[in-house]
């Protein structure tokens, strides 16, 4: 059981950030986040997430050109923006990732299963990335307001990788956070049976 | 920054469990998990996850009848199995969840956006559920090997909710865990640009 401070850091006090302090994120911090997130579960260990961490001004500008107006400044000012993609050819790596059985054969030729598995599991990995970032003291600003075709052309050209969502990483400017929106109560969305 | 013990609990030591100790999970623990997971981010706070926690032997038996052979015993023996669904009518709740703008209008009539948003965000919430469960000392056993039509008919009949994935919750039997499968190295799936 984590202590209350850790629960506050991961879930209760953490907020999605819109503004960023001018404090850099190191490559070592990015790798530390990856080394945590990669251990969390995916179906048959399929690990379909492929991630470009846009850190240079030039690459962030390239990404900013693909996002909705309300996200342009967030992309420009975040120290790093993770472009979280999913590899639709993920199953070709299953002999490496899940070597004890022929899991590749479950997917070959089944496009609906491929797509659902890539989307679900890369999204799980995106959530793990955000909580891993918070766990090492970073803040997150996830965004889905962008043009996916433009992002794919800019960051995953001629590739089986397609973007899922993007996420700013850095040290959030708490003065720019909006008031917290309401959450559902347990009984509104859950049942114990 | 969380301490090393917390990182081990959330990411590094935690495993997906196939066998369960005969130790109950209380309704209070289930609500504690929900009260953490609900705070983590979804797009426009849309919070599309709808969860049935199957706890009684009768309801777990009903679920066991819908899963692949390899998951039957896992469902029967887990103290609780969370059936994580997504509400495809989630946008009708946006006036409550995102009251400062008319976010409902972004979705009405756009089935592709509705489906992608429900799937992505309920999956994020499923990941938050797993890490929240680990954070309060529980173990997880996520499964996507089931017949979704049967699960929908059994747990979400006549509803806009469709199952996403299911997840056992309880105290894992470490003697039944498989050897850990390999993970990608950073450079195999990530780039810093």
């Amino acid at each position: 059981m984590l202590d209350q401070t850790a629960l506050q850091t991961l879930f209760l006090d953490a907020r999605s950030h819109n503004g960023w302090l001018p404090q850099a994120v190191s490559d070592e911090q990015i790798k530390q986040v990856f080394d945590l997130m990669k251990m969390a579960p995916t179906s048959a260990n399929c690990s379909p997430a492929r991630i470009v961490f846009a850190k240079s001004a030039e690459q962030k500008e390239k990404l900013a050109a693909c996002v909705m107006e309300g996200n342009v400044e967030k992309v420009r000012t975040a120290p790093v923006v993770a472009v979280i993609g999913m590899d639709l050819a993920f199953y070709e790596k299953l002999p490496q990732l899940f070597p004890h059985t022929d899991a590749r054969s479950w997917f070959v030729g089944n496009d609906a299963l491929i797509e659902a598995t890539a989307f679900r599991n890369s999204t799980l990995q995106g959530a793990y990335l955000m909580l891993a970032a918070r766990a090492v003291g970073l803040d997150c600003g996830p965004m889905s307001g962008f043009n996916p075709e433009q992002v794919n052309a800019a960051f995953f050209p001629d590739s089986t990788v397609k973007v899922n969502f993007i996420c700013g990483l850095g040290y959030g400017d708490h003065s720019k956070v909006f008031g917290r929106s309401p959450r559902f109560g347990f009984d509104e969305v859950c049942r114990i049976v």
Side-chain angles (χ1 to χ4, degrees), chain A:
Chain A
M1 168 96 197
L2 271 59
D3 64 25
Q4 189 61 29
T5 305
L7 299 180
Q8 301 288 138
T9 299
L10 288 173
F11 293 105
L12 302 174
D13 287 345
R15 299 296 311 278
S16 290
H17 281 271
N18 304 301
W20 300 94
L21 301 178
Q23 187 178 348
V25 173
S26 69
D27 291 2
E28 288 63 37
Q29 285 176 295
I30 293 172
K31 288 173 184 172
Q32 186 183 20
V33 169
F34 176 76
D35 283 337
L36 292 171
M37 68 165 276
K38 75 179 181 188
M39 302 313 292
T42 57
S43 174
N45 195 33
C46 65
S47 310
R50 305 290 182 264
I51 310 172
V52 177
F53 294 93
K55 196 177 167 186
S56 67
E58 181 198 348
Q59 295 290 321
K60 285 189 281 183
E61 202 56 46
K62 194 165 83 172
L63 181 58
C66 309
V67 304
M68 284 168 51
E69 195 181 338
N71 289 332
V72 170
E73 206 52 30
K74 300 184 203 175
V75 167
R76 281 194 181 130
T77 56
V80 177
V81 185
V83 181
I84 301 156
M86 57 184 128
D87 190 350
L88 293 170
F90 70 87
Y91 53 91
E92 297 293 354
K93 302 291 186 186
L94 286 173
Q96 169 186 348
L97 295 172
F98 204 65
H100 53 284
T101 190
D102 179 15
R104 179 180 174 278
S105 68
W106 307 342
F107 294 97
V108 175
N110 190 339
D111 285 349
L113 183 64
I114 289 169
E115 201 162 315
T117 303
F119 192 23
R120 179 184 296 109
N121 287 279
S122 66
T123 304
L124 292 175
Q125 291 186 282
Y128 304 148
L129 179 148
M130 291 192 279
L131 293 185
R134 289 176 173 181
V136 302
L138 296 170
D139 291 307
C140 301
M143 293 167 271
S144 51
F146 54 80
N147 182 312
E149 288 73 28
Q150 288 180 8
V151 174
N152 290 336
F155 291 91
F156 307 114
D158 305 316
S159 160
T160 52
V161 180
K162 305 297 167 198
V163 65
N164 185 335
F165 69 97
I166 67 176
C167 185
L169 299 171
Y171 298 90
D173 179 350
H174 289 267
S175 74
K176 294 193 177 158
V177 163
F178 301 124
R180 193 141 211 173
S181 293
R183 297 303 198 270
F184 282 124
F186 184 86
D187 294 335
E188 291 181 277
V189 289
C190 299
R191 284 185 290 138
I192 301 175
V193 295

